[in-house]
């Protein structure tokens, strides 16, 4: 079928909305009509840093409605509302023990540009257009493996759900599945984008008594306070480590660093208490 998609033809080039041919779903795959897609920092990395082959259709936080299922698909049917997440093999030791985020084939399946059978579903003439995260959600339709498509409640607005596939589960999962903070503990969240704000909401759910939000944009800090942060510090205006240490009796029990900016990583370590 013919679809419209945002194609990145070469490293660093702007997205170009073009007609692309999408092959139908093979066995264990589904065709999804995209309703919305989040834009994650990793899409910018895919466009600018050459982590995947070009030409490529990026996008890895898609939500939509299943239009057609391939052979052997058992968990989904046409009409289901779904969110797409990262691809994983489902067969390696890490996948089989419930840790698909560290699938041994993660890099190949998400950044290698091809589906798990080694072929592409997107083409322009004879040219293969590569796939990102097994979905390429910057298009009107996608084909993805059943494994990285998750059914969601039809009552919830699909336009809001795309970031569940990456940013929200990254932030909330870090707190709820990795750190598992005890009730009444303190936590500092560095960076209040989708990942950081999701970590703040998760920390509130987990019962953290002090939740410190750190960012350099006041508008984000206001939102952080609305979503559960108990303190908000603008890193451009105050000495964050000093403020957090003073307010938390010497440092926080936990920290989540979502910026990747080296001086902020250092702050996040320095504002932890011993054993934090
Ligand atoms: Zn992402
Ligand atoms: Zn695996």
């Amino acid at each position: 079928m013919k679809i419209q998609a945002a194609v990145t033809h070469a490293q660093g080039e702007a997205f170009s909305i073009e007609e692309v041919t999408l092959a139908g779903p093979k066995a264990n795959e589904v065709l999804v009509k995209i309703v919305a897609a989040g834009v994650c920092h990793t899409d910018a990395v895919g466009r600018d840093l050459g982590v995947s082959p070009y030409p490529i259709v990026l996008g890895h936080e898609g939500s939509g409605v299943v239009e057609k299922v391939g052979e052997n698909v058992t968990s989904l049917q046409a009409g289901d509302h779904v969110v797409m997440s990262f691809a994983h093999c489902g067969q390696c030791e890490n996948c089989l023990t419930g840790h698909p985020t560290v699938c041994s084939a993660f890099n190949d399946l998400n950044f290698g540009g091809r589906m798990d059978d080694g072929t592409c579903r997107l083409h322009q003439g004879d040219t293969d257009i590569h796939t990102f995260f097994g979905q390429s959600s910057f298009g009107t339709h996608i084909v993805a493996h059943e494994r990285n498509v998750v059914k969601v409640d039809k009552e919830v607005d699909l336009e809001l759900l795309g970031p569940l596939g990456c940013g929200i589960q990254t932030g909330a999962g870090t707190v709820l599945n990795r750190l598992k903070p005890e009730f009444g503990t303190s936590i500092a969240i560095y960076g209040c984008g989708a990942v950081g704000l999701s970590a703040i909401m998760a920390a509130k759910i987990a019962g953290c008594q002090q939740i410190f939000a750190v960012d350099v944009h006041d508008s984000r800090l206001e939102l952080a306070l609305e979503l559960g942060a108990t303190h908000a510090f603008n890193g451009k205006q105050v000495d964050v480590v000093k403020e957090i240490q003073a307010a938390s009796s010497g440092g926080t029990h936990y920290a989540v660093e979502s910026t990747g900016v080296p001086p902020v990583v250092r702050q996040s370590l320095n504002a932890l208490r011993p054993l934090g």
Side-chain angles (χ1 to χ4, degrees), residues 77-113:
Q77 56 186 22
D80 282 345
H81 287 199
V82 293
V83 168
M84 275 63 71
S85 191
F86 57 89
H88 55 287
C89 80
Q91 291 154 23
C92 71
E93 184 182 339
N94 292 339
C95 280
L96 291 174
T97 52
H99 304 288
T101 53
V102 283
C103 170
S104 60
F106 191 93
N107 279 346
D108 269 356
L109 293 176
N110 291 285
F111 298 106

